[in-house]
Amino acid sequence: MPAKVLINGYGSIGKRVADAVSMQDDMEVIGVTKTKPDFEARLAVEKGYKLFVAIPDKERVKLFEDAGIPVEGTILDVIEDVDIVVDGAPKKIGKENLENIYKPHKVKAILQGGEKAKDVEDNFNALWSYDRCYGKDYIRVVSCNTTGLCRSLYAINSVADIKKARVVLVRRAADPNDDKRGPVNAITPNPVTVPSHHGPDVVSVVPEFEGKILTSAVIVPTTLMHQHTLMVEVDGNFSRDDVLEAINKTPRIITVKADEGFTSTAKIIEYGRDLGRLRYDINELVVWEESVNVLENEIFLMQAVHQESIVIPENIDCIRAMLQMEEDNFKSIEKTNKAMGIQ
Ligand code: NAD
């Protein structure tokens, strides 16, 4: 029997997770929820998803009825029929849903990166913490930036032990559909304090990096991707080729060359469009090959993260781990990647 999955919060992350679940042969979408009867709600129904109202309230249900969008009921009408909920609600609301809905109804739940590490049992990345999250009830799939860092640090750590990592993150200001956020004409240190929260977030997945990783971040006026520059001190003897080989061997990382036209995040997104990817998603972490450099025992590289899609395959593997559907993380990764067409 395929695992029954409810997506609570059909926004940027939620709709992508719904489509990714639909692509797997061992899980199915039992329903998706919306708070408002907008075009996304209408499209969800047109795609064949059963739609439920996220807020259990008669007035809310009436809004959908008045808009002519059919709903099957509220979240409370479906919550106990599912094996797991993937929460895609905005930052901080995931925690409220955990306390008010998932825990009282004893349903396993995955929260997203906008929530706090301390509010869940553990923090998920398919390469690092699959085994730890196996069979657990409440897990957070870490943010897009943390997922990207976890993948490249995994590759580097497979070449030589990491002693110290310094990372500068250049963050996109808003998602392409977001008409409320900025800046439109500024570079904003965010957070202005150093270190930023991204280092501790990596440590929530990889506790052995405690005290070794330090990050700082700025926000810039772009919507397409985040960009990171990594400087990583390691122990051991290795060459640039060894590092590139490790990057190429690590699942869900691709390398691109500026020399071939990948001169910016804009060009990487164009590649996603040309590949015909749904919503031009690039689920892979993208490393610029020319940026990979080794100076004595220090590794440098630059990478790009498609914020809306990098965490989607992680949610799928997290479902398999929490429901104990596959013991081996690499088998789950391979299965997810194959179904989603990830390189
Ligand atoms: P979003 O605003 O695009 O979507 C959130 C959806 O949840 C909307 O459809 C909204 O109507 C719905 N919602 C509002 N209140 C709700 C409630 N009480 N219950 C259920 N649903 C509710 O947000 P998003 O960008 O998809 O972010 C969701 C989570 O994923 C956040 O924790 C965010 O930090 C995290 N995340 C976002 C990105 C990204 O770049 N967009 C990347 C990684 C992780």
Side-chain angles (χ1 to χ4, degrees):
M1 276 264 287
K4 296 182 204 151
V5 184
L6 176 71
I7 314 296
N8 190 26
Y10 189 75
S12 300
I13 298 299
K15 62 184 159 189
R16 286 174 169 82
V17 174
D19 292 344
V21 168
S22 304
M23 290 172 190
Q24 315 299 316
D25 63 11
D26 54 352
M27 52 187 84
E28 62 179 328
V29 178
I30 291 299
V32 304
T33 76
K34 283 289 298 175
T35 51
K36 291 189 292 275
D38 58 7
F39 73 91
E40 286 177 316
R42 192 178 298 282
L43 277 176
V45 174
E46 284 172 16
K47 278 187 111 161
Y49 294 129
K50 285 188 175 162
L51 182 65
F52 295 83
V53 181
I55 317 276
D57 172 297
K58 278 190 191 147
E59 293 300 310
R60 283 275 168 169
V61 176
K62 191 163 179 309
L63 290 180
F64 285 77
E65 287 166 359
D66 291 349
I69 298 179
V71 291
E72 311 281 328
T74 75
I75 185 166
L76 297 185
D77 296 312
V78 67
I79 190 79
E80 289 187 0
D81 299 338
V82 303
D83 298 314
I84 193 161
V85 183
V86 178
D87 187 286
K91 199 173 171 171
K92 295 186 181 159
I93 295 183
K95 153 125 168 79
E96 287 174 19
N97 288 339
L98 177 66
E99 300 303 333
N100 300 336
I101 304 178
Y102 314 141
K103 283 185 179 172
H105 288 274
K106 298 191 172 39
V107 175
K108 287 184 185 247
I110 297 176
L111 304 190
Q112 304 303 320
E115 307 307 323
K116 295 213 165 78
K118 67 174 177 49
D119 292 330
V120 287
E121 286 172 279
D122 213 329
N123 298 280
F124 186 84
N125 173 265
L127 293 166
W128 286 102
S129 59
Y130 188 99
D131 293 351
R132 262 175 24 221
C133 296
Y134 200 74
K136 295 257 166 69
D137 293 333
Y138 306 114
I139 296 293
R140 180 180 72 124
V141 168
V142 290
S143 75
C144 45
N145 281 309
T146 305
T147 298
L149 287 172
C150 283
R151 288 188 194 161
S152 46
L153 292 174
Y154 183 92
I156 292 171
N157 207 50
S158 70
V159 176
D161 285 342
I162 292 177
K163 278 170 58 187
K164 197 199 268 185
R166 299 291 180 249
V167 184
V168 178
L169 297 94
V170 179
R171 301 166 64 191
R172 62 89 179 96
D175 285 347
N177 69 347
D178 192 342
D179 49 14
K180 293 198 176 70
R181 285 169 58 164
V184 290
N185 185 25
I187 298 172
T188 314
N190 187 300
V192 72
T193 47
V194 179
S196 72
H197 61 272
H198 302 92
D201 211 34
V202 171
V203 172
S204 77
V205 178
V206 194
E208 56 263 41
F209 287 166
E210 176 78 56
K212 293 184 178 174
I213 179 164
L214 192 141
T215 53
S216 77
V218 296
I219 294 181
V220 299
T222 180
T223 61
L224 298 179
M225 299 181 97
H226 302 293
Q227 187 273 344
H228 304 163
T229 301
L230 282 76
M231 292 147 268
V232 185
E233 250 182 75
V234 293
D235 265 337
N237 286 322
F238 53 88
S239 66
R240 177 177 183 268
D241 284 348
D242 296 333
V243 179
L244 274 170
E245 195 187 325
I247 289 170
N248 285 319
K249 268 196 198 153
T250 303
R252 296 183 184 152
I253 306 184
I254 53 173
T255 52
V256 296
K257 290 186 191 169
D259 199 33
E260 276 183 9
F262 289 100
T263 46
S264 66
T265 52
K267 290 293 198 292
I268 295 170
I269 291 296
E270 188 65 5
Y271 180 59
R273 290 193 179 107
D274 288 346
L275 286 176
R277 292 272 181 97
L278 185 60
R279 305 183 180 97
Y280 66 72
D281 284 351
I282 309 270
N283 305 100
E284 299 88 346
L285 173 71
V286 183
V287 174
W288 274 281
E289 191 173 315
E290 291 96 331
S291 76
V292 177
N293 200 2
V294 173
L295 292 177
E296 296 180 357
N297 65 340
E298 204 166 355
I299 296 170
F300 297 82
L301 66 83
M302 285 193 250
Q303 62 187 31
V305 171
H306 184 224
Q307 74 278 0
E308 297 167 285
S309 69
I310 192 170
V311 300
I312 307 307
E314 305 289 329
N315 274 270
I316 300 299
D317 295 328
C318 190
I319 292 172
R320 280 203 195 95
M322 290 170 70
L323 294 178
Q324 299 175 293
M325 295 162 68
E326 170 57 65
E327 278 185 25
D328 183 330
N329 64 328
F330 284 103
K331 282 193 184 151
S332 178
I333 289 172
E334 200 184 331
K335 188 171 171 61
T336 307
N337 287 0
K338 206 169 159 204
M340 292 180 68
I342 293 173
Q343 294 176 25

Coordinates of all heavy atoms in Angstrom, one line a residue, residues 7-16 33-36 38 40 53-56 60 75 87-94 96-97 101-102 111-115 141-145 147 172 174-175 177-178 181 226 306-312 315, ligand 1:
I7 N -0.6 17.2 2.3 CA 0.3 18.4 2.2 C -0.5 19.5 2.8 O -1.6 20.0 2.3 CB 0.6 18.8 0.7 CG1 1.0 17.6 -0.1 CG2 1.6 19.9 0.7 CD1 2.3 16.9 0.3
N8 N -0.1 20.0 4.0 CA -0.8 21.1 4.7 C -0.1 22.4 4.4 O 0.9 22.8 5.0 CB -0.8 20.8 6.2 CG -1.8 21.8 6.9 OD1 -2.7 22.3 6.3 ND2 -1.5 22.0 8.2
G9 N -0.7 23.2 3.4 CA 0.0 24.5 3.0 C 0.5 24.3 1.6 O 1.6 23.9 1.4
Y10 N -0.4 24.5 0.6 CA -0.1 24.3 -0.8 C 0.5 25.6 -1.4 O -0.1 26.2 -2.2 CB -1.3 23.9 -1.5 CG -1.2 23.3 -2.9 CD1 -0.7 22.1 -3.2 CD2 -1.6 24.1 -4.0 CE1 -0.6 21.6 -4.5 CE2 -1.5 23.6 -5.3 CZ -1.0 22.4 -5.5 OH -0.9 21.9 -6.8
G11 N 1.7 26.0 -0.9 CA 2.4 27.2 -1.4 C 3.6 26.8 -2.2 O 3.6 25.7 -2.8
S12 N 4.6 27.6 -2.2 CA 5.8 27.3 -3.0 C 6.4 25.9 -2.8 O 6.7 25.2 -3.7 CB 6.9 28.4 -2.8 OG 6.4 29.6 -3.1
I13 N 6.6 25.6 -1.5 CA 7.2 24.3 -1.2 C 6.1 23.2 -1.3 O 6.3 22.2 -1.9 CB 7.8 24.3 0.3 CG1 8.9 25.4 0.3 CG2 8.2 23.0 0.7 CD1 10.1 25.1 -0.6
G14 N 4.9 23.5 -0.7 CA 3.8 22.5 -0.6 C 3.4 22.0 -2.0 O 3.3 20.8 -2.2
K15 N 3.3 22.9 -3.0 CA 2.8 22.4 -4.3 C 3.9 21.5 -5.0 O 3.6 20.5 -5.7 CB 2.3 23.5 -5.2 CG 3.3 24.5 -5.6 CD 2.5 25.6 -6.4 CE 3.3 26.9 -6.4 NZ 2.5 28.0 -7.0
R16 N 5.1 21.9 -4.7 CA 6.2 21.1 -5.3 C 6.3 19.7 -4.7 O 6.6 18.7 -5.3 CB 7.5 21.8 -5.2 CG 7.7 23.0 -6.2 CD 8.9 23.8 -5.9 NE 9.2 24.8 -7.0 CZ 8.6 25.9 -7.1 NH1 7.7 26.4 -6.2 NH2 8.9 26.7 -8.1
T33 N -4.0 21.2 1.3 CA -4.9 22.2 2.0 C -4.5 23.6 1.5 O -3.3 23.9 1.1 CB -4.7 22.2 3.5 OG1 -3.5 22.8 3.9 CG2 -4.8 20.8 4.1
K34 N -5.5 24.5 1.5 CA -5.3 25.9 1.3 C -6.1 26.7 2.3 O -7.1 26.2 2.8 CB -5.9 26.2 -0.1 CG -5.0 25.8 -1.3 CD -3.8 26.6 -1.5 CE -4.0 28.1 -1.7 NZ -2.8 28.9 -1.8
T35 N -5.6 27.9 2.6 CA -6.4 28.8 3.5 C -7.3 29.7 2.7 O -8.3 30.1 3.3 CB -5.4 29.7 4.3 OG1 -4.5 30.3 3.4 CG2 -4.6 28.9 5.3
K36 N -7.0 30.0 1.5 CA -7.8 30.9 0.7 C -8.2 30.3 -0.7 O -7.4 29.6 -1.3 CB -6.9 32.2 0.4 CG -6.6 33.0 1.6 CD -6.0 34.4 1.2 CE -4.6 34.2 0.6 NZ -3.4 34.2 1.4
D38 N -7.9 30.9 -3.8 CA -7.3 31.6 -4.9 C -7.0 30.7 -6.1 O -7.4 29.6 -6.1 CB -6.0 32.3 -4.3 CG -5.0 31.3 -3.8 OD1 -5.2 30.1 -3.9 OD2 -4.0 31.7 -3.2
E40 N -4.3 29.3 -7.0 CA -3.6 28.0 -6.6 C -4.5 26.9 -6.2 O -4.3 25.8 -6.5 CB -2.5 28.3 -5.6 CG -1.3 29.1 -6.1 CD -0.3 29.4 -5.0 OE1 -0.7 29.9 -3.9 OE2 0.9 29.3 -5.3
V53 N -9.7 22.5 3.5 CA -9.5 23.9 4.0 C -8.5 23.8 5.3 O -8.8 23.0 6.2 CB -10.8 24.6 4.4 CG1 -10.5 26.0 4.9 CG2 -11.7 24.6 3.2
A54 N -7.4 24.5 5.2 CA -6.4 24.4 6.3 C -6.9 24.9 7.6 O -6.4 24.4 8.7 CB -5.1 25.2 5.9
I55 N -7.8 25.9 7.7 CA -8.3 26.4 8.9 C -9.6 25.8 9.2 O -10.6 26.0 8.4 CB -8.4 27.9 8.9 CG1 -7.2 28.6 8.2 CG2 -8.8 28.5 10.2 CD1 -6.0 28.9 9.0
P56 N -9.8 25.0 10.3 CA -11.1 24.3 10.5 C -12.1 25.2 11.0 O -12.3 25.4 12.2 CB -10.7 23.2 11.6 CG -9.4 23.6 12.1 CD -8.7 24.6 11.3
R60 N -14.6 29.8 6.7 CA -13.5 29.6 5.7 C -14.0 28.6 4.6 O -13.8 28.9 3.4 CB -12.3 28.9 6.4 CG -11.5 29.7 7.1 CD -10.4 30.4 6.2 NE -9.8 31.5 7.0 CZ -8.8 32.2 6.6 NH1 -8.2 31.9 5.4 NH2 -8.3 33.1 7.3
I75 N -9.1 20.3 7.3 CA -8.0 19.4 7.6 C -8.4 18.3 8.7 O -7.9 17.2 8.6 CB -6.8 20.2 8.1 CG1 -5.6 19.3 8.3 CG2 -7.1 21.1 9.3 CD1 -4.3 19.9 8.5
D87 N 4.1 19.6 6.2 CA 3.7 21.0 6.5 C 4.4 21.9 5.5 O 5.6 21.9 5.5 CB 3.9 21.3 7.9 CG 3.3 22.6 8.3 OD1 3.9 23.7 7.9 OD2 2.3 22.6 9.0
G88 N 3.6 22.7 4.8 CA 4.2 23.7 3.9 C 3.8 25.1 4.3 O 3.8 26.0 3.4
A89 N 3.3 25.3 5.5 CA 2.8 26.6 6.0 C 4.0 27.6 6.2 O 5.1 27.2 6.3 CB 2.0 26.4 7.3
P90 N 3.6 28.9 6.2 CA 4.7 29.9 6.4 C 5.4 29.7 7.7 O 4.8 29.1 8.7 CB 4.0 31.2 6.4 CG 2.6 30.9 5.7 CD 2.3 29.5 6.0
K91 N 6.6 30.2 7.8 CA 7.5 30.3 9.0 C 6.7 30.5 10.3 O 5.8 31.4 10.3 CB 8.4 31.5 8.8 CG 9.6 31.5 9.6 CD 10.4 32.7 9.1 CE 11.6 32.9 10.0 NZ 12.5 33.9 9.4
K92 N 6.9 29.7 11.3 CA 6.3 29.8 12.6 C 4.9 29.2 12.7 O 4.5 28.7 13.7 CB 6.2 31.3 13.2 CG 7.6 31.9 13.4 CD 7.4 33.3 14.0 CE 8.8 33.9 14.2 NZ 8.8 35.3 14.4
I93 N 4.2 29.1 11.5 CA 2.9 28.5 11.6 C 3.0 26.9 11.6 O 2.2 26.2 12.1 CB 2.0 29.0 10.4 CG1 1.8 30.5 10.6 CG2 0.7 28.2 10.3 CD1 0.9 31.2 9.6
G94 N 4.1 26.5 11.0 CA 4.4 25.0 11.1 C 4.4 24.5 12.5 O 3.9 23.5 12.9
E96 N 3.0 25.9 15.1 CA 1.6 26.0 15.7 C 0.8 24.8 15.2 O 0.1 24.2 16.0 CB 0.9 27.3 15.2 CG 1.4 28.5 15.8 CD 0.8 29.8 15.2 OE1 -0.3 29.7 14.6 OE2 1.4 30.8 15.4
N97 N 1.0 24.4 13.9 CA 0.3 23.2 13.4 C 0.7 22.0 14.1 O -0.1 21.1 14.4 CB 0.5 23.1 11.9 CG -0.3 24.2 11.1 OD1 -1.2 24.7 11.6 ND2 0.2 24.4 9.9
I101 N -2.4 20.6 15.9 CA -3.1 19.6 15.1 C -2.3 18.2 15.0 O -2.9 17.2 15.3 CB -3.2 20.1 13.6 CG1 -4.0 21.5 13.6 CG2 -4.0 19.1 12.7 CD1 -4.1 22.1 12.2
Y102 N -1.0 18.2 14.6 CA -0.4 16.9 14.4 C -0.2 16.1 15.7 O -0.5 14.9 15.7 CB 1.0 17.1 13.7 CG 0.9 18.1 12.5 CD1 2.0 19.0 12.3 CD2 -0.2 18.1 11.7 CE1 1.9 19.9 11.2 CE2 -0.3 19.0 10.6 CZ 0.8 19.9 10.4 OH 0.7 20.8 9.3
L111 N 8.2 19.3 9.2 CA 8.1 20.7 9.1 C 9.3 21.2 8.2 O 10.2 20.4 7.9 CB 8.3 21.3 10.5 CG 7.3 20.9 11.6 CD1 7.5 21.8 12.8 CD2 5.9 21.0 11.1
Q112 N 9.2 22.5 7.8 CA 10.2 23.0 6.8 C 11.2 23.9 7.5 O 11.1 24.1 8.8 CB 9.5 23.8 5.7 CG 8.4 22.9 5.0 CD 9.0 21.7 4.3 OE1 10.1 21.7 3.8 NE2 8.3 20.6 4.4
G113 N 12.1 24.4 6.8 CA 13.3 25.1 7.3 C 13.0 26.4 8.0 O 13.8 26.9 8.8
G114 N 11.8 27.0 7.8 CA 11.4 28.2 8.6 C 11.1 28.0 10.0 O 11.1 28.9 10.8
E115 N 11.0 26.7 10.4 CA 10.8 26.4 11.8 C 12.1 26.2 12.6 O 13.2 26.2 11.9 CB 9.9 25.1 11.9 CG 8.6 25.2 11.1 CD 7.8 26.4 11.4 OE1 7.7 26.8 12.6 OE2 7.2 26.9 10.5
V141 N 12.8 19.3 7.8 CA 13.7 19.3 6.6 C 14.3 20.7 6.6 O 13.6 21.7 6.6 CB 13.0 19.0 5.3 CG1 13.9 19.3 4.1 CG2 12.5 17.6 5.2
V142 N 15.7 20.7 6.7 CA 16.3 22.0 6.9 C 16.1 22.9 5.7 O 15.8 22.5 4.6 CB 17.8 21.9 7.3 CG1 17.9 21.3 8.7 CG2 18.6 21.0 6.3
S143 N 16.5 24.2 5.9 CA 16.2 25.2 4.8 C 17.0 24.9 3.5 O 17.9 24.1 3.5 CB 16.6 26.6 5.4 OG 18.0 26.7 5.4
C144 N 16.7 25.7 2.5 CA 17.3 25.6 1.2 C 18.8 25.9 1.4 O 19.7 25.1 0.8 CB 16.7 26.6 0.2 SG 16.4 28.2 0.9
N145 N 19.2 26.9 2.1 CA 20.7 27.2 2.2 C 21.4 26.1 3.0 O 22.5 25.7 2.6 CB 20.8 28.6 3.0 CG 20.6 29.8 2.1 OD1 21.2 29.8 1.0 ND2 19.7 30.7 2.5
T147 N 20.5 23.0 3.3 CA 20.5 21.8 2.4 C 21.7 21.9 1.5 O 22.4 20.9 1.3 CB 19.2 21.6 1.7 OG1 18.1 21.5 2.7 CG2 19.2 20.4 0.8
R172 N 18.8 35.4 -2.0 CA 17.8 36.1 -2.9 C 16.8 36.9 -2.0 O 16.5 36.4 -0.9 CB 17.1 35.1 -3.8 CG 16.2 34.0 -3.0 CD 14.8 34.4 -2.7 NE 14.0 33.4 -2.1 CZ 13.9 33.4 -0.7 NH1 14.5 34.2 0.1 NH2 13.1 32.5 -0.2
A174 N 13.5 37.6 -2.5 CA 12.2 37.1 -2.5 C 12.0 36.0 -3.5 O 12.9 35.9 -4.4 CB 11.2 38.2 -2.8
D175 N 11.0 35.2 -3.4 CA 10.7 34.2 -4.4 C 10.0 35.0 -5.6 O 9.5 36.0 -5.4 CB 9.8 33.1 -3.9 CG 10.5 32.1 -3.0 OD1 11.7 32.1 -3.0 OD2 9.8 31.3 -2.3
N177 N 7.3 34.8 -7.0 CA 5.9 35.1 -6.9 C 5.6 36.0 -5.8 O 4.4 36.4 -5.5 CB 5.0 33.8 -6.7 CG 5.3 33.2 -5.3 OD1 6.2 33.5 -4.6 ND2 4.5 32.2 -5.0
D178 N 6.6 36.5 -5.0 CA 6.4 37.2 -3.8 C 6.4 38.7 -4.1 O 7.4 39.3 -4.5 CB 7.6 36.9 -2.9 CG 7.3 37.4 -1.4 OD1 6.5 38.3 -1.3 OD2 8.0 36.9 -0.5
R181 N 8.1 41.4 -0.6 CA 9.4 41.5 0.0 C 10.4 42.3 -0.8 O 10.3 42.4 -2.0 CB 9.9 40.1 0.4 CG 9.2 39.5 1.5 CD 9.5 38.1 1.7 NE 10.9 37.7 1.9 CZ 11.3 36.6 2.3 NH1 10.4 35.6 2.7 NH2 12.6 36.3 2.5
H226 N 20.0 31.5 -4.5 CA 21.1 32.0 -3.5 C 22.4 31.6 -4.1 O 22.6 30.7 -4.9 CB 21.0 31.3 -2.2 CG 19.6 31.4 -1.5 ND1 19.1 32.5 -1.0 CD2 18.7 30.4 -1.2 CE1 18.0 32.3 -0.4 NE2 17.7 31.0 -0.5
H306 N 18.9 26.7 -5.8 CA 17.5 27.1 -6.2 C 16.6 26.9 -5.0 O 16.2 25.8 -4.7 CB 17.0 26.4 -7.5 CG 15.7 26.9 -7.9 ND1 14.6 26.0 -8.3 CD2 15.2 28.1 -8.0 CE1 13.6 26.8 -8.6 NE2 13.9 28.0 -8.5
Q307 N 16.3 28.1 -4.4 CA 15.6 28.0 -3.1 C 14.3 27.3 -3.1 O 13.9 26.7 -2.1 CB 15.5 29.5 -2.5 CG 14.4 30.3 -3.2 CD 14.8 31.0 -4.5 OE1 15.9 30.8 -4.9 NE2 13.9 31.8 -5.1
E308 N 13.5 27.4 -4.2 CA 12.2 26.9 -4.2 C 12.2 25.4 -4.3 O 11.1 24.7 -4.1 CB 11.3 27.5 -5.3 CG 11.1 29.0 -5.2 CD 10.6 29.6 -6.5 OE1 11.4 29.7 -7.4 OE2 9.4 29.8 -6.5
S309 N 13.3 24.8 -4.8 CA 13.2 23.4 -5.2 C 14.2 22.4 -4.6 O 14.0 21.2 -4.6 CB 13.2 23.2 -6.7 OG 14.5 23.5 -7.2
I310 N 15.3 23.0 -4.0 CA 16.4 22.1 -3.5 C 15.9 21.1 -2.4 O 16.3 20.0 -2.3 CB 17.6 22.9 -3.1 CG1 18.8 22.0 -2.9 CG2 17.4 23.7 -1.8 CD1 20.2 22.7 -2.7
V311 N 14.9 21.6 -1.6 CA 14.5 20.8 -0.5 C 13.4 19.7 -0.9 O 13.1 18.9 0.0 CB 14.0 21.6 0.7 CG1 15.0 22.6 1.2 CG2 12.7 22.4 0.3
I312 N 12.9 19.8 -2.1 CA 11.8 18.9 -2.4 C 12.1 17.4 -2.4 O 11.5 16.6 -1.7 CB 11.2 19.3 -3.8 CG1 10.8 20.8 -3.8 CG2 9.9 18.5 -4.1 CD1 9.9 21.3 -2.7
N315 N 12.3 16.2 1.2 CA 11.1 15.9 1.8 C 10.6 14.4 1.4 O 10.1 13.7 2.3 CB 10.0 16.9 1.4 CG 10.0 18.1 2.2 OD1 9.3 18.2 3.2 ND2 10.7 19.1 1.8
Ligands
NAD1 P1 4.4 30.1 0.9 O1 4.0 31.4 1.5 O2 4.7 30.1 -0.6 O3 3.3 29.0 1.1 C1 2.7 28.8 2.4 C2 1.3 28.3 2.2 O4 0.8 27.9 3.4 C3 0.4 29.2 1.5 O5 -0.4 28.6 0.5 C4 -0.5 29.7 2.7 O6 -1.8 30.1 2.3 C5 -0.6 28.4 3.5 N1 -0.9 28.6 4.9 C6 -1.0 29.8 5.6 N2 -1.5 29.6 6.9 C7 -1.6 28.2 7.0 C8 -2.0 27.3 8.1 N3 -2.3 27.8 9.3 N4 -2.0 26.0 7.8 C9 -1.7 25.5 6.6 N5 -1.3 26.3 5.6 C10 -1.2 27.6 5.8 O7 5.6 29.7 1.8 P2 6.8 28.7 1.3 O8 7.9 29.6 0.6 O9 6.3 27.5 0.6 O10 7.5 28.3 2.7 C11 6.9 27.3 3.5 C12 8.0 26.8 4.5 O11 9.1 26.3 3.7 C13 8.6 27.9 5.4 O12 9.0 27.3 6.6 C14 9.8 28.3 4.7 O13 10.8 28.9 5.5 C15 10.3 27.0 4.1 N6 11.1 27.1 2.9 C16 10.9 28.0 1.9 C17 11.7 28.1 0.8 C18 11.5 29.0 -0.3 O14 12.4 29.5 -0.8 N7 10.3 29.4 -0.6 C19 12.8 27.2 0.8 C20 13.0 26.3 1.8 C21 12.2 26.2 2.9

